[in-house]
Amino acid sequence: MLGRLNHVAIAVPDIAAAAEIYRSTFVMGAKVSEAVPQPDHGVTTVFVELENTKIELLEPLGDKSPIANFLKKNPSGGIHHVCYEVEDILAARDQMLAKGATITGTGEPKIGAHGKPVIFMHPKDFNGTLIELEQV
Ligand code: CO
């Protein structure tokens, strides 16, 4: 069962500039975190906290960043994935697999940017949208 929308992730070419947009340029006073390098995930992240959800800004980190290709195709940035909460990630994964969905990578949960287990579902099964599932 899908739970709440945890965050919407936006790939950006310049995370400091993107954070500034949310901090002050266009969105006055949003609560914006510091930039945190996540070498295990090949990205630097900033979280913008809203009342009902979060925006995750992603900038490529290192040579093998999983968002490098996305930014090549979308040089000014764009919505990269949406993250839904699930109670039990292994149960959710097995249910989706049984119904023919494709999980990216090894199919085993990884520890995501919030220190919780995540998996990514292939966009081809979700109308072109990369879906992250996070156990909460
Ligand atoms: Co995410």
Side-chain angles (χ1 to χ4, degrees):
M1 185 65 66
L2 284 183
R4 289 155 38 104
L5 174 68
N6 184 277
H7 61 268
V8 175
I10 303 175
V12 302
D14 178 343
I15 203 160
E20 207 47 38
I21 287 172
Y22 283 88
R23 193 177 283 125
S24 62
T25 310
F26 296 124
V27 189
M28 297 288 284
K31 197 173 164 202
V32 179
S33 79
E34 292 306 308
V36 179
Q38 314 258 4
D40 289 352
H41 296 279
V43 292
T44 297
T45 56
V46 162
F47 282 96
V48 181
E49 283 187 41
L50 307 175
E51 265 182 47
N52 60 342
T53 191
K54 290 173 282 216
I55 303 297
E56 177 183 54
L57 303 174
L58 299 173
E59 182 186 63
L61 177 66
D63 305 335
K64 290 181 193 148
S65 174
I67 65 167
N69 269 341
F70 181 91
L71 275 170
K72 236 175 243 164
K73 288 184 218 151
N74 305 278
S76 57
I79 294 179
H80 182 260
H81 65 266
V82 297
C83 176
Y84 300 120
E85 298 179 354
V86 293
E87 270 181 28
D88 180 336
I89 197 141
L90 293 175
R93 176 195 65 182
D94 292 346
Q95 202 175 59
M96 296 230 183
L97 281 176
K99 295 194 172 167
T102 303
I103 294 162
T104 66
T106 63
E108 291 307 314
K110 272 183 154 186
I111 297 303
H114 316 112
K116 294 179 178 162
V118 301
I119 56 173
F120 284 90
M121 310 299 303
H122 199 283
K124 71 183 171 63
D125 299 321
F126 294 93
N127 305 103
T129 308
L130 178 63
I131 304 288
E132 180 179 22
L133 298 179
E134 179 175 294
Q135 180 171 296
V136 291

